Amino acid sequence: MQNIERRYDIDWLRVIAIGLLVIYHVAIAFQPWGGMIGFITAKNFWTDVWFPMSMLNIWRIPLLFYVSGMGVFFALQRRTWSQLLVERSQRILVPFIFGIFVIVPFHMFILQSHFKMNLNYVPNPGHLWFLGNIFAYVLLLSPLFFYLIKNPSSGIAIQFKKIFATPLGLLIPAIVMMAEAEMLNPRPFELYAMTWHGFFLGLFAFFFGFCFVYAGLPFRKMIERWWFVWLILALASFIYRSFFLKLAVSNWMLSLESLLWVLSMLAMAGKLFHQPSKTLSYLSQAAYPIYILHMIFLYEGSHLFFNLDLPAPVIFLMVLIFTLVGCFATFELIKRITVLRPLFGLKKV
């Protein structure tokens, strides 16, 4: 078995993606349509913040799927197939089920209390739909992944590495992701939660995330060498659709832009983040529980602050700080209580 180095850049990307998720969800609460998708919305909207969010929303969730696929590659270096399934059941399925029956109803109660509604909860994944998707991908793809890792000299393994050693190899994920978007025709493109578009986009991103790290150093050097190309193309695509196409943008264009942003993030993280740090170690452990918890504190912060007569940016900052402080404080409690750790995806001590 090959000696695999720790990829601190991937750890940072996971942390950054979760941080962007929290900011994005706070921003939704300041949009006129936020109530239509189940958010408590502010009295004073802040629509200007949606411009940067419209750039984030086509790649922040796909990035998490790519990174999750990468994580399976590293997990399989130290585990058998059955050990991976047991470990992922403990780390993903247990928090997913716990979340459906405890976390999601908790923040739904806050929502219903805010609007003086009767408590009425039908079990559903809520914002934790992502975990259900990831667990399904592990079940579906881990046999192939396990074969590729255990047979690095096989013809298919050699072809995988050759394909992704050059920029031309990126045509494969580009074509697959664009075809998915065109065939399923999501409206809007960024509607990932509990949709077939979200499922298949995530499945392909999870698969290609694995392929990217499986291809090894040649792929990593290639995308880092061309980092500025991915970034310029992604920025150009965003500016073009924002100022020229607006609502007329095609799904395949959004899918291609999404991939370009993901490649940009992978390349820049690879160039910038090489060393371990105490900050990264702490945030890496905290990111998963924060993802699980953040909607509770976001809804409670919205309930507390949205009736204040203050400028929208000030309330935005107040809700964001309240959400983060609440999440980190609860994480500090959870990590010290052995019985709670597995329910939030933390390893047993």
Side-chain angles (χ1 to χ4, degrees), residues 14-15 18 21 87-97 127-128 130-132 134-135 282-294 327 331 334 341-347:
R14 184 181 297 107
V15 168
I18 295 297
L21 175 71
E87 189 264 350
R88 286 302 190 257
S89 295
Q90 294 171 343
R91 297 288 301 280
I92 299 175
L93 188 59
V94 169
F96 180 60
I97 294 173
H127 69 289
L128 302 178
F130 179 86
L131 299 182
I134 291 295
F135 189 71
Y282 178 80
L283 292 177
S284 292
Q285 187 181 30
Y288 195 2
I290 287 174
Y291 160 67
I292 294 172
L293 290 164
H294 78 279
C327 287
F331 163 68
I334 290 167
R341 291 178 63 91
L343 300 178
F344 291 87
L346 298 177
K347 295 179 180 178

Side-chain angles (χ1 to χ4, degrees), residues 61-333:
I61 291 296
L63 177 63
L64 277 171
F65 283 127
Y66 280 100
V67 169
S68 298
M70 293 174 176
V72 170
F73 171 84
F74 295 107
L76 279 173
Q77 305 302 317
R78 307 180 300 276
R79 297 172 180 84
T80 64
W81 181 21
S82 60
Q83 288 172 335
L84 175 74
L85 294 180
V86 170
E87 189 264 350
R88 286 302 190 257
S89 295
Q90 294 171 343
R91 297 288 301 280
I92 299 175
L93 188 59
V94 169
F96 180 60
I97 294 173
F98 171 73
I100 289 175
F101 291 101
V102 179
I103 300 297
V104 177
F106 200 112
H107 69 73
M108 288 303 296
F109 172 76
I110 297 172
L111 172 72
Q112 292 166 355
S113 176
H114 178 81
F115 291 111
K116 297 179 173 56
M117 301 163 58
N118 294 327
L119 180 61
N120 180 23
Y121 176 69
V122 177
N124 69 91
H127 69 289
L128 302 178
W129 64 273
F130 179 86
L131 299 182
N133 282 32
I134 291 295
F135 189 71
Y137 304 155
V138 171
L139 294 178
L140 290 170
L141 295 176
S142 59
L144 172 61
F145 293 168
F146 187 75
Y147 172 82
L148 289 172
I149 287 176
K150 298 303 177 183
N151 298 274
S153 300
S154 65
I156 187 172
I158 292 171
Q159 288 303 314
F160 262 92
K161 294 179 180 180
K162 283 184 178 179
I163 287 170
F164 291 106
T166 69
L168 287 177
L170 294 174
L171 287 175
I172 295 177
I175 292 170
V176 169
M177 301 305 268
M178 288 190 293
E180 180 278 325
E182 284 299 305
M183 291 176 67
L184 293 182
N185 193 29
R187 288 289 186 269
F189 176 85
E190 58 272 17
L191 186 60
Y192 310 115
M194 292 177 282
T195 66
W196 283 117
H197 166 58
F199 182 85
F200 284 107
L201 179 147
L203 179 68
F204 295 136
F206 188 87
F207 171 74
F208 287 119
F210 175 90
C211 293
F212 289 169
V213 288
Y214 185 77
L217 195 58
F219 174 83
R220 187 176 176 183
K221 287 184 174 179
M222 180 269 293
I223 63 166
E224 290 179 13
R225 183 183 305 119
W226 298 99
W227 70 269
F228 60 95
V229 174
W230 319 129
L231 183 58
I232 290 171
L233 289 174
L235 281 169
S237 179
F238 171 63
I239 292 170
Y240 180 61
R241 71 175 166 94
S242 298
F243 293 101
F244 297 97
L245 295 181
K246 298 185 179 180
L247 295 178
V249 62
S250 301
N251 282 322
W252 70 265
M253 294 183 66
L254 292 172
S255 185
L256 181 58
E257 182 188 331
S258 175
L259 177 61
L260 289 168
W261 282 115
V262 168
L263 292 173
S264 302
M265 297 303 109
L266 291 174
M268 290 189 292
K271 292 179 72 67
L272 295 173
F273 303 129
H274 304 290
Q275 302 298 324
S277 71
K278 291 182 179 179
T279 299
L280 176 59
S281 179
Y282 178 80
L283 292 177
S284 292
Q285 187 181 30
Y288 195 2
I290 287 174
Y291 160 67
I292 294 172
L293 290 164
H294 78 279
M295 292 296 279
I296 293 176
F297 293 101
L298 168 56
Y299 277 39
E300 183 60 23
S302 301
H303 174 68
L304 291 173
F305 303 136
F306 278 179
N307 286 325
L308 298 178
D309 190 19
L310 294 170
V314 174
I315 298 180
F316 177 94
L317 189 59
M318 291 171 65
V319 174
L320 179 60
I321 292 173
F322 181 88
T323 303
L324 291 174
V325 170
C327 287
F328 277 107
T330 308
F331 163 68
E332 287 295 327
L333 178 66

